[in-house]
Amino acid sequence: MSKETSEKKLFYLDGIRGLVAFAVVISHYIQVFYPAALNGRSQQAHFEWDIWYGHSPINLFYNGQFAVCLFFVLSGYVLSVKMFETELDSDTFQKLLHSSAIRRYIRLAVPAAVSVLLVYLAIITNAFHLQEIWGATWTDMKKDYYALDTNVYTVIKAAIFDPFFRFDAHPYNPVLWTMGYELLGSFLIFGFLALFGRVKKRWIVYVVLSIALIQTYFVAFLWGMLLADLLKHKWVQSKITAVLVLLMGIYLGSAPYTALMGTMYEPIEVWTKNINEWFLFNIDPRLLARTLGSAMILYALLRLKGLQHVFGWKPFAYLGQISFSLYLIHFTFLNTFSAFLFSKVIHHFSYNFAYAITFLVSMVPLFILSHYYMKYIDQGALKLARKAEKKMTASKIRTSHEGFTM
């Protein structure tokens, strides 16, 4: 693949990653300010259309679980595509794999750890104001940051260990629940590539692992890698097929949080129930639909040039560059600055107008902070990961030579 083609691909993949990250941001603002759009309870509705759009494909734009599933599918694709795009000799293949594995933890851990330290700073400076707007927003999010342990050891442990090795331990920054999946999902990819990446009948392994992982988020990584693997083969060339796959992906991906029965999403519930009965599974119909929908949308993106052009638009590509930073800090920002701002403007404007002011005004400093977080923390983590890789590689070579001379 030419450098130009590779850069274009990076742009549109960055674009969709950025929009997905922004969808997570919107989902948490909706969770706080318009809870009925997620839970379907009319008594918590602030707007007459809250329940309706929560049941419609519109919820795709703030469906947090769908966004996370697409993140994971993208990770599976991006982490493996280099291994499948070109014919690599065995030595180069192993070096690329080894390099990616060494850098992965540091690349994820440093930005995640800093996000926890920001929460700690917000706690000790009394910057959280979520509790002040509970009564006005009717939100189900009743998180009390001031009840969290501020012991330094506990905070450090929560910054560098818990998000990656304890799936249920993310009290300081709840969005870090995805970090353990990202790390272990990455090593699922690396392990698969190391063991089966050159095996011709690896399709059997894809099927077996899909069945084994179908009840977890890890299947998203697997299906992302499968898309990368299929890229070098002759796919169905019909644009009509790709468009139909895209539409089906949007339908599945937009499965709402509310009850599926009695809505246009009822077939998802019925078919998943049948699968669970036939194979004695316990698959969550929403998780399955959103994961499959994510894989379908990425498939369509890889086939449709028009879609690539849209997602490759420079503002979207830039959004992709700051996406990880935006994802890590937005929840804390929502519960500090945005909650404080809303607590002030709600006394002067109608609910919907107060929310509009809060959201629009909040996006300016949030994006500025995300930019500098990306520039200094995220990019710094990448540089640190490369340095660590070089030192570990040099140490390994040195040890190898010493062992040979003994």
Side-chain angles (χ1 to χ4, degrees):
M1 184 188 300
S2 68
K3 182 179 179 182
E4 182 182 359
T5 304
S6 179
E7 288 178 350
K8 285 182 179 178
K9 175 168 290 188
L10 180 63
F11 281 146
Y12 71 74
L13 290 179
D14 273 349
I16 192 170
R17 184 187 294 113
L19 288 172
V20 165
F22 193 54
V24 174
V25 174
I26 294 174
S27 74
H28 286 132
Y29 275 82
I30 292 290
Q31 184 181 4
V32 170
F33 295 101
Y34 291 95
L38 290 177
N39 61 34
R41 297 172 191 155
S42 58
Q43 63 270 29
Q44 290 175 275
H46 292 282
F47 187 61
E48 60 180 330
W49 297 105
D50 285 357
I51 307 298
W52 175 81
Y53 66 74
H55 286 155
S56 75
I58 293 174
N59 88 86
L60 185 77
F61 297 104
Y62 64 86
N63 193 313
Q65 190 184 55
F66 160 75
V68 167
C69 289
L70 188 47
F71 261 134
F72 291 163
V73 172
L74 277 167
S75 291
Y77 177 85
V78 171
L79 289 172
S80 60
V81 68
K82 285 185 179 179
M83 305 297 180
F84 295 121
E85 279 184 336
T86 55
E87 292 299 328
L88 303 173
D89 60 81
S90 182
D91 188 50
T92 304
F93 180 86
Q94 292 299 326
K95 283 182 178 178
L96 275 174
L97 199 58
H98 184 251
S99 173
S100 298
I102 289 177
R103 296 198 307 262
R104 194 59 177 163
Y105 172 74
I106 297 175
R107 190 266 174 277
L108 293 172
V110 172
V114 173
S115 77
V116 172
L117 296 180
L118 290 178
V119 174
Y120 173 74
L121 290 175
I123 292 173
I124 63 176
T125 57
N126 296 314
F128 284 105
H129 297 276
L130 177 63
Q131 67 276 13
E132 296 172 17
I133 63 173
W134 285 344
T137 61
W138 307 331
T139 180
D140 294 322
M141 190 191 295
K142 295 295 195 295
K143 185 173 179 59
D144 184 2
Y145 283 93
Y146 297 113
L148 295 174
D149 188 353
T150 53
N151 177 274
V152 174
Y153 170 77
T154 304
V155 173
I156 292 175
K157 182 169 172 289
I160 63 176
F161 181 82
D162 291 349
F164 300 95
F165 306 107
R166 296 179 65 197
F167 280 88
D168 296 326
H170 41 80
Y172 296 87
N173 188 5
V175 301
L176 294 183
W177 73 268
T178 61
M179 292 299 101
Y181 287 102
E182 277 286 354
L183 184 64
L184 296 181
S186 301
F187 282 93
L188 168 67
I189 299 298
F190 301 146
F192 183 101
L193 291 170
L195 295 172
F196 309 108
R198 296 305 177 88
V199 177
K200 289 184 177 180
K201 294 185 177 180
R202 59 183 174 276
W203 315 112
I204 299 173
V205 184
Y206 278 117
V207 173
V208 172
L209 285 179
S210 291
I211 294 172
L213 301 173
I214 195 67
Q215 301 176 85
T216 73
Y217 283 102
F218 292 113
V219 77
F221 293 90
L222 184 70
W223 289 350
M225 179 171 56
L226 176 60
L227 289 177
D229 202 350
L230 290 171
L231 187 65
K232 66 178 181 178
H233 298 277
K234 290 184 178 180
W235 290 18
V236 177
Q237 298 298 313
S238 170
K239 289 186 178 180
I240 295 177
T241 300
V243 170
L244 292 175
V245 170
L246 175 63
L247 294 175
M248 180 57 72
I250 292 172
Y251 167 73
L252 292 173
S254 63
Y257 287 91
T258 53
L260 304 182
M261 298 302 289
T263 70
M264 62 184 290
Y265 299 98
E266 184 173 329
I268 295 173
E269 182 91 34
V270 172
W271 277 101
T272 307
K273 183 179 179 180
N274 290 334
I275 293 172
N276 286 336
E277 290 177 352
W278 294 338
F279 298 101
L280 301 179
F281 286 159
N282 187 29
I283 302 172
D284 178 351
R286 293 171 184 79
L287 178 58
L288 177 60
R290 292 163 185 164
T291 306
L292 188 56
S294 298
M296 287 180 167
I297 289 172
L298 181 57
Y299 168 88
L301 177 60
L302 295 170
R303 296 304 308 150
L304 297 172
K305 299 295 183 183
L307 210 56
Q308 293 173 12
H309 181 72
V310 171
F311 286 110
W313 190 37
K314 286 187 178 180
F316 290 162
Y318 172 74
L319 191 58
Q321 291 174 21
I322 66 170
S323 60
F324 190 37
S325 300
L326 181 66
Y327 176 79
L328 289 175
I329 69 174
H330 80 273
F331 197 82
T332 302
F333 188 84
L334 161 61
N335 293 309
T336 52
F337 179 87
S338 297
F340 173 77
L341 179 60
F342 184 80
S343 71
K344 301 304 178 183
V345 298
I346 189 60
H347 299 299
H348 305 284
F349 302 99
S350 68
Y351 188 90
N352 291 329
F353 194 56
Y355 169 74
I357 293 173
T358 299
F359 183 79
L360 294 175
V361 172
S362 295
M363 291 304 104
V364 177
L366 176 58
F367 273 77
I368 292 173
L369 288 172
S370 297
H371 173 83
Y372 286 103
Y373 201 93
M374 176 271 294
K375 186 176 181 179
Y376 295 107
I377 308 300
D378 196 16
Q379 294 297 322
L382 288 171
K383 292 177 183 177
L384 181 62
R386 293 190 189 103
K387 287 182 180 179
E389 179 201 354
K390 287 181 181 179
K391 287 188 177 181
M392 291 178 70
T393 303
S395 175
K396 184 178 179 181
I397 293 173
R398 198 161 49 245
T399 303
S400 176
H401 286 316
E402 290 172 354
F404 179 75
T405 56
M406 285 178 66

